[in-house]
Amino acid sequence: MRIVFLGIGGVGGYMGANFLRSEMEHEITLIGRGSHQEAIDTAGLRVVGDTEEFTVLVPKTKLDGSYDLVILGVKSYDFEAAITQIKPHITEQSIVIAFANGVSHKAFLQERLNAKVLEGAVYILSHIEEPGVIRKKGNVFAAVIGSEIYKEEVLIVEALFKKAKLRVKTPENITEALWKKYLFISAFATLSSYYDCSIREVYETHREVCETLLNEIVAVAEAQGIMIRDELPKALQTASSLPQEASTSMHLDFQNTRRNELEVLTYDVIRLGLELGVKSPLYEKMYYALKAKESKLNKT
């Protein structure tokens, strides 16, 4: 197979590095950009975890021909650019899967690509620490993959992740699985950005607020027939057990005045709630405060 990772930051870079480290018999291409890509071209891609560190050389960093599997590691705001870049390199038989945050990417991709689009989510705490270096925090990693239509393709991708020794799940109800992930990341991305502190700090100092926000997103999910209330205590347990300094990518983006996923991770809960007649007052309060903060940061 010809496999390409488009977007090799904290998510795509970590996955791609492990695919290369496994020495599987497939052609693997990693596509990044800017100084990160330049550093990788020069010295390879380095992954630094809490207990291990490794470097892989990346033999292919340019797009050519068509690909059997496209793994999108870009954030939701870069989807249009990524689609424009990859579209000439896919066929009707290409498998495409995005690991961006959110619960509505499948429809977006299907409208723009004539390919076999799978749905995916990933549990991971990682980011680009410096050009050419991915910092992975804690032991959390799980890729979640599914499709109501392309069952055989899901098995193909599952086998590849297992070959790379990456934990992978293929639930029957992929929509519910995506919402379980979204419950945690939406709430704690919003909370960590709003309070400007790590996930565990938010849990330890604002637990009641955490529970209120989680209950608001659960209510929106339930209005769509998605029952994830049992995940609420699990989300709190996860937050309490993470390394003290571990935070969300949106929080880091706010800290570094970068583009962020505020619309996908915070406003989408409000938008979906309004469509379903469910109010999300705490989400609204935090969204508009963060929107103002974003505007202020962009002016400085």
Side-chain angles (χ1 to χ4, degrees), residues 243-297:
Q244 189 66 39
E245 73 282 3
S247 195
T248 63
S249 61
M250 190 166 91
H251 178 216
L252 295 174
D253 289 340
F254 266 99
Q255 285 187 321
N256 294 288
T257 322
R258 296 191 297 248
R259 293 178 70 189
N260 60 68
E261 294 184 287
L262 182 62
E263 301 305 312
V264 168
L265 292 177
T266 306
Y267 183 72
D268 268 4
V269 176
I270 301 167
R271 177 182 61 79
L272 290 168
L274 290 172
E275 291 175 2
L276 297 161
V278 178
K279 293 183 178 180
S280 310
L282 185 54
Y283 259 101
E284 287 190 23
K285 174 187 173 181
M286 292 188 171
Y287 170 74
Y288 288 110
L290 288 169
K291 198 69 178 172
K293 181 178 180 179
E294 178 184 58
S295 179
K296 184 178 180 180
L297 288 172

Short mmCIF file of all heavy atoms in Angstrom, two decimals, residues 243-297:
data_model
loop_
_atom_site.label_atom_id
_atom_site.label_comp_id
_atom_site.label_asym_id
_atom_site.label_seq_id
_atom_site.Cartn_x
_atom_site.Cartn_y
_atom_site.Cartn_z
N PRO A 243 -1.01 13.89 33.78
CA PRO A 243 0.13 14.62 34.34
C PRO A 243 -0.26 16.07 34.66
O PRO A 243 -1.07 16.67 33.95
CB PRO A 243 1.17 14.55 33.22
CG PRO A 243 0.81 13.33 32.44
CD PRO A 243 -0.69 13.26 32.49
N GLN A 244 0.33 16.63 35.70
CA GLN A 244 -0.06 17.95 36.18
C GLN A 244 0.02 19.02 35.10
O GLN A 244 -0.81 19.94 35.05
CB GLN A 244 0.83 18.36 37.37
CG GLN A 244 0.37 19.62 38.09
CD GLN A 244 -0.96 19.45 38.80
OE1 GLN A 244 -1.24 18.39 39.37
NE2 GLN A 244 -1.81 20.47 38.77
N GLU A 245 1.00 18.91 34.21
CA GLU A 245 1.19 19.96 33.21
C GLU A 245 0.46 19.71 31.90
O GLU A 245 0.43 20.58 31.02
CB GLU A 245 2.69 20.13 32.91
CG GLU A 245 3.32 19.01 32.08
CD GLU A 245 3.63 17.74 32.86
OE1 GLU A 245 3.31 17.69 34.08
OE2 GLU A 245 4.19 16.80 32.27
N ALA A 246 -0.17 18.56 31.74
CA ALA A 246 -0.82 18.21 30.47
C ALA A 246 -2.03 19.10 30.21
O ALA A 246 -2.89 19.26 31.06
CB ALA A 246 -1.23 16.75 30.48
N SER A 247 -2.08 19.66 29.00
CA SER A 247 -3.20 20.50 28.65
C SER A 247 -3.73 20.13 27.28
O SER A 247 -3.37 19.10 26.71
CB SER A 247 -2.80 21.98 28.69
OG SER A 247 -3.96 22.80 28.71
N THR A 248 -4.61 20.95 26.73
CA THR A 248 -5.22 20.67 25.44
C THR A 248 -4.54 21.49 24.35
O THR A 248 -3.93 22.53 24.62
CB THR A 248 -6.72 21.03 25.46
OG1 THR A 248 -6.86 22.44 25.69
CG2 THR A 248 -7.43 20.26 26.56
N SER A 249 -4.68 21.03 23.11
CA SER A 249 -4.06 21.75 22.01
C SER A 249 -4.67 23.14 21.84
O SER A 249 -3.98 24.10 21.49
CB SER A 249 -4.19 20.95 20.71
OG SER A 249 -5.55 20.74 20.37
N MET A 250 -5.98 23.28 22.12
CA MET A 250 -6.59 24.60 21.99
C MET A 250 -6.02 25.57 23.02
O MET A 250 -5.76 26.73 22.72
CB MET A 250 -8.12 24.51 22.12
CG MET A 250 -8.83 25.82 21.76
SD MET A 250 -10.61 25.63 21.53
CE MET A 250 -11.21 25.97 23.19
N HIS A 251 -5.80 25.10 24.23
CA HIS A 251 -5.19 25.94 25.26
C HIS A 251 -3.80 26.38 24.82
O HIS A 251 -3.43 27.57 24.95
CB HIS A 251 -5.13 25.17 26.58
CG HIS A 251 -4.47 25.94 27.68
ND1 HIS A 251 -3.69 25.33 28.64
CD2 HIS A 251 -4.45 27.27 27.98
CE1 HIS A 251 -3.23 26.24 29.49
NE2 HIS A 251 -3.68 27.42 29.11
N LEU A 252 -3.02 25.46 24.30
CA LEU A 252 -1.68 25.79 23.82
C LEU A 252 -1.73 26.79 22.67
O LEU A 252 -0.90 27.68 22.56
CB LEU A 252 -0.93 24.52 23.40
CG LEU A 252 -0.64 23.52 24.52
CD1 LEU A 252 -0.04 22.24 23.94
CD2 LEU A 252 0.31 24.12 25.55
N ASP A 253 -2.73 26.63 21.81
CA ASP A 253 -2.88 27.56 20.69
C ASP A 253 -3.20 28.97 21.19
O ASP A 253 -2.68 29.96 20.67
CB ASP A 253 -3.98 27.08 19.74
CG ASP A 253 -3.56 25.86 18.94
OD1 ASP A 253 -2.34 25.62 18.83
OD2 ASP A 253 -4.44 25.14 18.44
N PHE A 254 -4.05 29.07 22.21
CA PHE A 254 -4.33 30.39 22.80
C PHE A 254 -3.07 30.97 23.43
O PHE A 254 -2.77 32.16 23.27
CB PHE A 254 -5.44 30.28 23.85
CG PHE A 254 -6.82 30.56 23.32
CD1 PHE A 254 -7.67 29.51 22.98
CD2 PHE A 254 -7.27 31.86 23.14
CE1 PHE A 254 -8.95 29.77 22.49
CE2 PHE A 254 -8.53 32.12 22.65
CZ PHE A 254 -9.38 31.08 22.32
N GLN A 255 -2.31 30.15 24.13
CA GLN A 255 -1.10 30.64 24.79
C GLN A 255 -0.08 31.16 23.78
O GLN A 255 0.64 32.14 24.06
CB GLN A 255 -0.47 29.52 25.61
CG GLN A 255 -1.19 29.20 26.91
CD GLN A 255 -0.42 28.21 27.74
OE1 GLN A 255 0.17 27.25 27.23
NE2 GLN A 255 -0.43 28.40 29.05
N ASN A 256 -0.03 30.52 22.62
CA ASN A 256 0.97 30.87 21.61
C ASN A 256 0.41 31.73 20.47
O ASN A 256 1.06 31.93 19.46
CB ASN A 256 1.59 29.60 21.03
CG ASN A 256 2.40 28.84 22.07
OD1 ASN A 256 3.48 29.26 22.46
ND2 ASN A 256 1.88 27.72 22.55
N THR A 257 -0.79 32.25 20.68
CA THR A 257 -1.45 33.14 19.71
C THR A 257 -1.48 32.51 18.32
O THR A 257 -1.13 33.14 17.31
CB THR A 257 -0.76 34.53 19.65
OG1 THR A 257 -0.36 34.92 20.96
CG2 THR A 257 -1.72 35.58 19.09
N ARG A 258 -1.90 31.24 18.27
CA ARG A 258 -2.05 30.54 17.00
C ARG A 258 -3.53 30.36 16.68
O ARG A 258 -4.38 30.56 17.54
CB ARG A 258 -1.37 29.17 17.06
CG ARG A 258 0.15 29.21 17.24
CD ARG A 258 0.75 27.84 17.02
NE ARG A 258 0.30 26.87 18.00
CZ ARG A 258 1.07 26.33 18.94
NH1 ARG A 258 2.33 26.68 19.03
NH2 ARG A 258 0.59 25.43 19.78
N ARG A 259 -3.80 29.98 15.44
CA ARG A 259 -5.18 29.63 15.09
C ARG A 259 -5.65 28.51 16.01
O ARG A 259 -4.86 27.66 16.43
CB ARG A 259 -5.26 29.18 13.63
CG ARG A 259 -4.97 30.27 12.63
CD ARG A 259 -5.00 29.73 11.22
NE ARG A 259 -6.37 29.39 10.80
CZ ARG A 259 -6.66 28.74 9.68
NH1 ARG A 259 -5.69 28.34 8.86
NH2 ARG A 259 -7.92 28.47 9.37
N ASN A 260 -6.93 28.52 16.34
CA ASN A 260 -7.43 27.53 17.29
C ASN A 260 -8.74 26.93 16.80
O ASN A 260 -9.29 27.34 15.78
CB ASN A 260 -7.61 28.17 18.67
CG ASN A 260 -8.60 29.32 18.62
OD1 ASN A 260 -9.79 29.12 18.40
ND2 ASN A 260 -8.11 30.55 18.81
N GLU A 261 -9.23 25.95 17.54
CA GLU A 261 -10.45 25.22 17.17
C GLU A 261 -11.65 25.63 18.03
O GLU A 261 -12.51 24.82 18.33
CB GLU A 261 -10.20 23.72 17.28
CG GLU A 261 -9.19 23.20 16.28
CD GLU A 261 -9.03 21.70 16.35
OE1 GLU A 261 -8.41 21.23 17.33
OE2 GLU A 261 -9.53 21.00 15.46
N LEU A 262 -11.72 26.90 18.40
CA LEU A 262 -12.80 27.39 19.23
C LEU A 262 -14.17 27.13 18.61
O LEU A 262 -15.12 26.77 19.31
CB LEU A 262 -12.61 28.89 19.49
CG LEU A 262 -13.64 29.57 20.40
CD1 LEU A 262 -13.63 28.96 21.80
CD2 LEU A 262 -13.37 31.08 20.47
N GLU A 263 -14.28 27.30 17.30
CA GLU A 263 -15.58 27.13 16.64
C GLU A 263 -16.03 25.67 16.69
O GLU A 263 -17.20 25.37 16.94
CB GLU A 263 -15.52 27.62 15.20
CG GLU A 263 -15.13 29.09 15.06
CD GLU A 263 -16.04 30.01 15.85
OE1 GLU A 263 -17.27 29.86 15.74
OE2 GLU A 263 -15.51 30.87 16.58
N VAL A 264 -15.11 24.75 16.44
CA VAL A 264 -15.45 23.33 16.41
C VAL A 264 -15.63 22.76 17.82
O VAL A 264 -16.55 21.97 18.06
CB VAL A 264 -14.36 22.54 15.66
CG1 VAL A 264 -14.52 21.04 15.86
CG2 VAL A 264 -14.39 22.87 14.17
N LEU A 265 -14.78 23.17 18.73
CA LEU A 265 -14.78 22.55 20.05
C LEU A 265 -15.72 23.22 21.05
O LEU A 265 -16.14 22.59 22.03
CB LEU A 265 -13.36 22.53 20.62
CG LEU A 265 -12.40 21.59 19.90
CD1 LEU A 265 -11.00 21.69 20.50
CD2 LEU A 265 -12.89 20.16 19.95
N THR A 266 -16.04 24.48 20.85
CA THR A 266 -16.90 25.18 21.79
C THR A 266 -18.20 25.64 21.15
O THR A 266 -19.30 25.30 21.61
CB THR A 266 -16.16 26.39 22.39
OG1 THR A 266 -14.91 25.96 22.95
CG2 THR A 266 -16.98 27.04 23.50
N TYR A 267 -18.11 26.37 20.05
CA TYR A 267 -19.33 26.92 19.46
C TYR A 267 -20.24 25.83 18.89
O TYR A 267 -21.47 25.98 18.92
CB TYR A 267 -19.00 27.94 18.37
CG TYR A 267 -20.27 28.56 17.81
CD1 TYR A 267 -21.01 29.46 18.57
CD2 TYR A 267 -20.76 28.20 16.55
CE1 TYR A 267 -22.20 29.99 18.09
CE2 TYR A 267 -21.94 28.73 16.07
CZ TYR A 267 -22.66 29.62 16.85
OH TYR A 267 -23.84 30.14 16.38
N ASP A 268 -19.69 24.75 18.38
CA ASP A 268 -20.53 23.69 17.81
C ASP A 268 -21.53 23.12 18.83
O ASP A 268 -22.62 22.70 18.47
CB ASP A 268 -19.68 22.56 17.23
CG ASP A 268 -19.40 22.78 15.75
OD1 ASP A 268 -19.80 23.83 15.20
OD2 ASP A 268 -18.78 21.90 15.12
N VAL A 269 -21.14 23.09 20.09
CA VAL A 269 -22.08 22.62 21.13
C VAL A 269 -23.24 23.59 21.23
O VAL A 269 -24.41 23.18 21.30
CB VAL A 269 -21.37 22.49 22.50
CG1 VAL A 269 -22.37 22.08 23.58
CG2 VAL A 269 -20.24 21.47 22.42
N ILE A 270 -22.94 24.88 21.22
CA ILE A 270 -23.99 25.90 21.28
C ILE A 270 -24.88 25.82 20.04
O ILE A 270 -26.11 25.84 20.14
CB ILE A 270 -23.35 27.30 21.38
CG1 ILE A 270 -22.47 27.39 22.62
CG2 ILE A 270 -24.43 28.38 21.40
CD1 ILE A 270 -21.55 28.61 22.64
N ARG A 271 -24.25 25.71 18.87
CA ARG A 271 -24.99 25.67 17.60
C ARG A 271 -25.92 24.47 17.54
O ARG A 271 -27.11 24.59 17.21
CB ARG A 271 -24.01 25.64 16.43
CG ARG A 271 -24.67 25.53 15.06
CD ARG A 271 -23.63 25.45 13.95
NE ARG A 271 -22.78 24.28 14.08
CZ ARG A 271 -23.12 23.06 13.70
NH1 ARG A 271 -24.33 22.83 13.19
NH2 ARG A 271 -22.27 22.05 13.83
N LEU A 272 -25.38 23.30 17.85
CA LEU A 272 -26.20 22.09 17.83
C LEU A 272 -27.32 22.16 18.86
O LEU A 272 -28.45 21.73 18.60
CB LEU A 272 -25.33 20.86 18.08
CG LEU A 272 -24.37 20.47 16.95
CD1 LEU A 272 -23.36 19.44 17.44
CD2 LEU A 272 -25.13 19.94 15.76
N GLY A 273 -27.01 22.74 20.03
CA GLY A 273 -28.03 22.88 21.05
C GLY A 273 -29.17 23.78 20.60
O GLY A 273 -30.35 23.46 20.82
N LEU A 274 -28.83 24.88 19.94
CA LEU A 274 -29.87 25.79 19.44
C LEU A 274 -30.75 25.10 18.41
O LEU A 274 -31.97 25.29 18.38
CB LEU A 274 -29.21 27.04 18.84
CG LEU A 274 -28.55 28.00 19.83
CD1 LEU A 274 -27.77 29.08 19.09
CD2 LEU A 274 -29.58 28.62 20.76
N GLU A 275 -30.14 24.29 17.54
CA GLU A 275 -30.91 23.57 16.53
C GLU A 275 -31.87 22.56 17.16
O GLU A 275 -32.93 22.27 16.60
CB GLU A 275 -29.95 22.83 15.58
CG GLU A 275 -29.13 23.75 14.68
CD GLU A 275 -28.11 23.00 13.85
OE1 GLU A 275 -28.06 21.75 13.95
OE2 GLU A 275 -27.34 23.64 13.11
N LEU A 276 -31.49 22.04 18.35
CA LEU A 276 -32.28 21.00 19.01
C LEU A 276 -33.14 21.53 20.15
O LEU A 276 -33.83 20.76 20.81
CB LEU A 276 -31.34 19.92 19.54
CG LEU A 276 -30.54 19.16 18.48
CD1 LEU A 276 -29.33 18.47 19.11
CD2 LEU A 276 -31.42 18.14 17.77
N GLY A 277 -33.07 22.84 20.37
CA GLY A 277 -33.85 23.43 21.46
C GLY A 277 -33.26 23.19 22.83
O GLY A 277 -33.98 23.16 23.82
N VAL A 278 -31.94 23.01 22.91
CA VAL A 278 -31.25 22.77 24.18
C VAL A 278 -30.33 23.95 24.46
O VAL A 278 -29.47 24.28 23.65
CB VAL A 278 -30.42 21.46 24.13
CG1 VAL A 278 -29.67 21.26 25.45
CG2 VAL A 278 -31.31 20.27 23.83
N LYS A 279 -30.49 24.57 25.61
CA LYS A 279 -29.67 25.72 25.96
C LYS A 279 -28.35 25.27 26.61
O LYS A 279 -28.31 24.28 27.34
CB LYS A 279 -30.43 26.64 26.91
CG LYS A 279 -31.63 27.32 26.26
CD LYS A 279 -32.30 28.28 27.23
CE LYS A 279 -33.48 28.97 26.57
NZ LYS A 279 -34.16 29.92 27.49
N SER A 280 -27.29 26.03 26.33
CA SER A 280 -25.96 25.73 26.88
C SER A 280 -25.38 27.03 27.44
O SER A 280 -24.43 27.59 26.88
CB SER A 280 -25.04 25.16 25.80
OG SER A 280 -25.66 24.11 25.09
N PRO A 281 -25.92 27.54 28.55
CA PRO A 281 -25.52 28.86 29.06
C PRO A 281 -24.06 28.98 29.46
O PRO A 281 -23.43 30.02 29.23
CB PRO A 281 -26.45 29.08 30.26
CG PRO A 281 -26.93 27.71 30.64
CD PRO A 281 -27.00 26.94 29.37
N LEU A 282 -23.49 27.95 30.07
CA LEU A 282 -22.09 28.03 30.48
C LEU A 282 -21.18 27.98 29.25
O LEU A 282 -20.17 28.70 29.18
CB LEU A 282 -21.74 26.92 31.45
CG LEU A 282 -20.32 26.97 32.05
CD1 LEU A 282 -20.04 28.31 32.70
CD2 LEU A 282 -20.12 25.83 33.05
N TYR A 283 -21.52 27.13 28.29
CA TYR A 283 -20.77 27.11 27.04
C TYR A 283 -20.80 28.49 26.38
O TYR A 283 -19.79 28.99 25.88
CB TYR A 283 -21.33 26.06 26.07
CG TYR A 283 -20.53 24.78 26.04
CD1 TYR A 283 -20.96 23.65 26.73
CD2 TYR A 283 -19.35 24.70 25.31
CE1 TYR A 283 -20.23 22.46 26.70
CE2 TYR A 283 -18.61 23.52 25.28
CZ TYR A 283 -19.05 22.42 25.98
OH TYR A 283 -18.31 21.26 25.94
N GLU A 284 -21.99 29.12 26.37
CA GLU A 284 -22.10 30.45 25.76
C GLU A 284 -21.23 31.47 26.48
O GLU A 284 -20.52 32.26 25.84
CB GLU A 284 -23.56 30.91 25.79
CG GLU A 284 -24.45 30.18 24.79
CD GLU A 284 -25.83 30.82 24.67
OE1 GLU A 284 -25.95 32.02 24.98
OE2 GLU A 284 -26.76 30.12 24.25
N LYS A 285 -21.27 31.46 27.80
CA LYS A 285 -20.46 32.39 28.58
C LYS A 285 -18.97 32.23 28.24
O LYS A 285 -18.26 33.21 27.99
CB LYS A 285 -20.69 32.15 30.07
CG LYS A 285 -19.77 32.97 30.98
CD LYS A 285 -19.94 32.56 32.43
CE LYS A 285 -18.90 33.26 33.31
NZ LYS A 285 -19.04 32.84 34.74
N MET A 286 -18.50 30.98 28.22
CA MET A 286 -17.07 30.74 27.98
C MET A 286 -16.70 31.01 26.53
O MET A 286 -15.62 31.54 26.24
CB MET A 286 -16.71 29.30 28.38
CG MET A 286 -16.79 29.07 29.88
SD MET A 286 -16.15 27.46 30.38
CE MET A 286 -16.16 27.66 32.17
N TYR A 287 -17.60 30.67 25.60
CA TYR A 287 -17.31 30.91 24.18
C TYR A 287 -17.11 32.40 23.91
O TYR A 287 -16.12 32.79 23.28
CB TYR A 287 -18.44 30.38 23.31
CG TYR A 287 -18.31 30.80 21.86
CD1 TYR A 287 -17.35 30.22 21.02
CD2 TYR A 287 -19.13 31.81 21.34
CE1 TYR A 287 -17.22 30.63 19.70
CE2 TYR A 287 -19.00 32.21 20.02
CZ TYR A 287 -18.04 31.63 19.20
OH TYR A 287 -17.90 32.04 17.89
N TYR A 288 -18.02 33.23 24.38
CA TYR A 288 -17.91 34.66 24.08
C TYR A 288 -16.73 35.31 24.81
O TYR A 288 -16.10 36.24 24.30
CB TYR A 288 -19.23 35.37 24.39
CG TYR A 288 -20.29 35.02 23.37
CD1 TYR A 288 -21.38 34.22 23.70
CD2 TYR A 288 -20.16 35.44 22.04
CE1 TYR A 288 -22.33 33.87 22.75
CE2 TYR A 288 -21.11 35.08 21.08
CZ TYR A 288 -22.18 34.31 21.45
OH TYR A 288 -23.12 33.95 20.49
N ALA A 289 -16.39 34.78 25.99
CA ALA A 289 -15.19 35.27 26.69
C ALA A 289 -13.93 34.90 25.91
O ALA A 289 -13.01 35.71 25.76
CB ALA A 289 -15.13 34.69 28.10
N LEU A 290 -13.89 33.67 25.40
CA LEU A 290 -12.74 33.22 24.62
C LEU A 290 -12.67 33.92 23.27
O LEU A 290 -11.59 34.21 22.76
CB LEU A 290 -12.78 31.70 24.45
CG LEU A 290 -12.46 30.90 25.72
CD1 LEU A 290 -12.79 29.43 25.52
CD2 LEU A 290 -10.98 31.07 26.08
N LYS A 291 -13.82 34.21 22.69
CA LYS A 291 -13.86 34.94 21.42
C LYS A 291 -13.26 36.34 21.61
O LYS A 291 -12.49 36.82 20.77
CB LYS A 291 -15.30 35.03 20.92
CG LYS A 291 -15.42 35.37 19.44
CD LYS A 291 -14.95 34.23 18.56
CE LYS A 291 -15.13 34.56 17.09
NZ LYS A 291 -14.50 33.54 16.22
N ALA A 292 -13.61 36.98 22.72
CA ALA A 292 -13.05 38.29 23.03
C ALA A 292 -11.54 38.20 23.29
O ALA A 292 -10.77 39.07 22.86
CB ALA A 292 -13.76 38.88 24.25
N LYS A 293 -11.14 37.15 23.98
CA LYS A 293 -9.72 36.94 24.26
C LYS A 293 -8.96 36.72 22.96
O LYS A 293 -7.86 37.27 22.76
CB LYS A 293 -9.55 35.72 25.18
CG LYS A 293 -8.12 35.40 25.55
CD LYS A 293 -8.08 34.20 26.49
CE LYS A 293 -6.67 33.85 26.90
NZ LYS A 293 -6.64 32.68 27.83
N GLU A 294 -9.53 35.93 22.06
CA GLU A 294 -8.92 35.67 20.75
C GLU A 294 -8.75 36.96 19.98
O GLU A 294 -7.68 37.22 19.39
CB GLU A 294 -9.81 34.71 19.97
CG GLU A 294 -9.33 34.37 18.58
CD GLU A 294 -10.34 33.49 17.85
OE1 GLU A 294 -11.51 33.93 17.71
OE2 GLU A 294 -9.98 32.39 17.43
N SER A 295 -9.78 37.80 19.97
CA SER A 295 -9.72 39.08 19.25
C SER A 295 -8.65 39.98 19.83
O SER A 295 -7.89 40.63 19.08
CB SER A 295 -11.09 39.77 19.33
OG SER A 295 -11.05 41.01 18.67
N LYS A 296 -8.54 40.02 21.15
CA LYS A 296 -7.54 40.84 21.81
C LYS A 296 -6.13 40.35 21.50
O LYS A 296 -5.22 41.15 21.23
CB LYS A 296 -7.77 40.83 23.32
CG LYS A 296 -6.84 41.72 24.12
CD LYS A 296 -7.18 41.69 25.59
CE LYS A 296 -6.23 42.59 26.39
NZ LYS A 296 -6.57 42.56 27.84
N LEU A 297 -5.93 39.03 21.53
CA LEU A 297 -4.61 38.47 21.23
C LEU A 297 -4.19 38.75 19.81
O LEU A 297 -3.02 39.02 19.53
CB LEU A 297 -4.63 36.95 21.49
CG LEU A 297 -4.68 36.50 22.96
CD1 LEU A 297 -4.90 35.00 23.04
CD2 LEU A 297 -3.40 36.90 23.69
#
